[in-house]
Amino acid sequence: MTETELDLVVERKEPAADGVALLTLRRADGVDLPEWEPGAHVDLLLDGRPVPDGGSVRQYSLCGDPAERSVWRIAVLREPEGRGGSAHVHDVLAEGAPVRARGPRNHFPLVPAPSYLFVAGGIGITPIVPMLAAAEAAGADWRLVHGGRTRSSMAFADLAERHPGRVELRPQDEAGLLDLPGILAGASSVYCCGPEPLLAAMERECAERPDVTLHVERFAPKAGADDVPQDAFEVSLAGSGRVVAVPAGRSVLDALDDAGVSVLSSCREGTCGTCETGVLEGVPDHRDSLLTEEERAACDTMMLCVSRSRTPRLVLDL
């Protein structure tokens, strides 16, 4: 898998809420950016180095207008307990600063439906913003419930004024935690993005509702996703027939890298989908936070950074 890396420039940087920076990015050469659809995200290579060498790569959802090909827009929450990516965006990327990007990539697409319920927690509003416009353009019925710590911390709060009756803001300090059973009443197609406690609670609620189709996007891996044994196995590369041993405690991605086999990757925690690879034979042991249960059952793809094997050997489409 290969993707083009783009040289971008920060055209504009402005506050979107307390602790949230809204960046408008354009290509340094002025050429139109690649097309994208609601739900897509891009990688920012914040220091220009590849991930195995210690490079800082972060994924951010596109929150602008897909029809506006000259720019991309992302909103970044400053996370004091994070790994430094958000601090770099807030403190280093000034207007006019260069930044490299990769993508876009979409594991959270908007599937056509007559109606939608969108539920966002905090900065999880970012991939949902363009979905609202797409749902509106398609003539679908939709509503959004956006929760956050405080009203001032909630980006794109003006959506409530622009769409009266469709958008409800529920700051936690005013309304408490989101009442998911009440919010889900009458819903059929649900899109949810936000912190892990919200997503886990939403998944539990929807598991009891066979009439609801839930789509989620995570910014961090599911809790306990890797709390299982890591036995050794082998991977065979279909293109060359080469066999690479994957030791216990090492990921497929690491083993391939050790063997000099280059595979594109970003998050290395099973959330971005960059290293997704086809499986031609064998049964993968899925430990990512992206694939649906149907996709896992198909056993025809896997995330090399975290997933392993239930069989002694996997044949990969590499």
Side-chain angles (χ1 to χ4, degrees):
M1 176 181 177
T2 60
E3 290 183 354
T4 302
E5 291 186 3
L6 303 173
D7 290 312
L8 305 182
V9 173
V10 180
E11 180 178 272
R12 187 176 182 187
K13 182 178 181 180
E14 56 194 311
D18 290 348
V20 179
L22 178 64
L23 273 63
T24 300
L25 309 172
R26 62 172 174 82
R27 282 186 62 151
D29 57 13
V31 176
D32 278 354
L33 290 159
E35 295 181 348
W36 61 280
E37 296 182 349
H41 69 264
V42 295
D43 299 341
L44 291 192
L45 288 70
L46 296 176
D47 58 13
R49 293 180 295 160
V51 177
D53 297 335
S56 179
V57 180
R58 299 292 184 272
Q59 293 75 44
Y60 298 108
S61 297
L62 293 170
C63 57
D65 180 357
E68 192 176 8
R69 295 285 306 282
S70 62
V71 298
W72 282 341
R73 290 187 174 86
I74 61 171
V76 181
L77 171 68
R78 179 188 287 275
E79 300 184 79
E81 304 303 319
R83 296 173 294 166
S86 67
H88 183 98
V89 171
H90 278 258
D91 299 336
V92 178
L93 290 187
E95 290 186 359
V99 61
R100 289 182 68 79
R102 193 166 59 199
R105 197 177 304 112
N106 198 343
H107 288 274
F108 191 45
L110 185 67
V111 179
S115 64
Y116 300 96
L117 166 64
F118 300 103
V119 181
I123 199 62
I125 187 65
T126 51
I128 289 176
V129 170
M131 291 184 175
L132 305 183
E136 186 84 8
D141 186 25
W142 64 269
R143 61 190 177 99
L144 163 67
V145 178
H146 184 191
R149 298 187 315 278
T150 64
R151 191 173 295 270
S152 63
S153 72
M154 298 168 67
F156 305 106
D158 62 320
L159 287 168
E161 298 177 3
R162 290 160 48 194
H163 302 284
R166 288 183 180 268
V167 177
E168 183 178 357
L169 302 182
R170 295 193 183 181
Q172 185 175 343
D173 64 341
E174 299 176 21
L177 295 175
L178 294 180
D179 172 24
L180 296 187
I183 291 170
L184 287 167
S188 57
S189 184
V190 180
Y191 286 74
C192 184
C193 184
E196 181 58 27
L198 170 63
L199 300 182
M202 183 66 82
E203 287 176 332
R204 289 192 298 270
E205 285 291 332
C206 290
E208 305 299 322
R209 299 169 182 257
D211 55 328
V212 172
T213 300
L214 175 64
H215 308 262
V216 302
E217 180 164 65
R218 283 180 158 84
F219 296 140
K222 290 182 179 179
D226 205 34
D227 295 344
V228 285
Q230 298 196 23
D231 296 333
F233 58 98
E234 295 178 334
V235 293
S236 175
L237 312 186
S240 63
R242 185 178 179 185
V243 176
V244 176
V246 182
R250 293 286 282 171
S251 70
V252 178
L253 194 62
D254 288 337
L256 292 175
D257 186 58
D258 293 342
V261 180
S262 177
V263 178
L264 192 65
S265 66
S266 289
C267 73
R268 295 191 166 233
E269 59 184 17
T271 59
C272 76
T274 307
C275 67
E276 183 173 2
T277 300
V279 177
L280 304 180
E281 294 180 27
V283 181
D285 178 7
H286 297 292
R287 303 185 185 187
D288 64 275
S289 301
L290 273 172
L291 297 177
T292 65
E293 291 305 317
E294 292 78 10
E295 290 168 334
R296 290 173 178 238
C299 292
D300 58 3
T301 189
M302 68 183 290
M303 307 302 162
L304 301 185
C305 63
V306 292
S307 295
R308 302 189 69 78
S309 181
R310 297 183 182 276
T311 50
R313 175 178 290 193
L314 294 174
V315 179
L316 302 180
D317 189 15
L318 288 173

